[in-house]
């Protein structure tokens, strides 16, 4: 079960992917959600721990780890594969 913040963050990721065809960088997400870069990394780690995202670990700066969002392989830097 996800917390309200985790649900909101996951919905944000899905919306960005649906609407723009790509995901934001960690810094873009932090700016758009008005939270810290560290908070975005923590939310990612929490979703990974709860198996809502495959675990690759959060990285500092521009994250380039692969993540699967509903059936689609994407790079967190926004480049779809």
């Amino acid at each position: 079960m996800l917390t309200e913040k985790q649900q909101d963050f996951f919905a944000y990721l899905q919306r960005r992917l649906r609407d723009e065809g790509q995901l934001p960088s960690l810094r873009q997400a932090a700016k758009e959600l008005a939270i810290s870069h560290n908070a975005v990394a923590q939310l990612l780690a929490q979703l990974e721990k709860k198996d809502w995202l495959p675990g690759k670990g959060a990285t500092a700066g521009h994250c380039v780890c692969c993540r699967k969002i509903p059936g689609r392989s994407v790079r967190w830097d926004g480049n779809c594969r």
Side-chain angles (χ1 to χ4, degrees):
M1 177 175 255
L2 298 180
T3 67
E4 185 176 342
K5 284 183 183 182
Q6 292 164 349
Q7 289 173 3
D8 291 345
F9 183 67
F10 190 75
Y12 163 77
L13 294 178
Q14 290 180 308
R15 191 169 47 255
R16 282 290 306 258
L17 185 58
R18 181 192 67 231
D19 294 348
E20 298 180 25
Q22 63 184 17
L23 293 173
S25 68
L26 291 175
R27 293 180 196 280
Q28 286 173 317
K31 183 178 179 180
E32 290 174 7
L33 297 172
I35 60 177
S36 71
H37 177 268
N38 190 48
V40 172
Q42 288 176 358
L43 284 165
L44 284 170
Q46 292 164 359
L47 291 175
E48 290 169 357
K49 186 175 180 179
K50 293 183 177 187
D51 292 328
W52 281 74
L53 294 176
K56 293 288 184 182
T59 63
H62 296 286
C63 185
V64 293
C65 51
C66 271
R67 301 191 181 283
K68 255 191 164 167
I69 303 276
R72 208 163 162 193
S73 180
V74 295
R75 292 169 51 102
W76 180 247
D77 64 4
N79 297 316
C80 292
R81 289 202 260 171

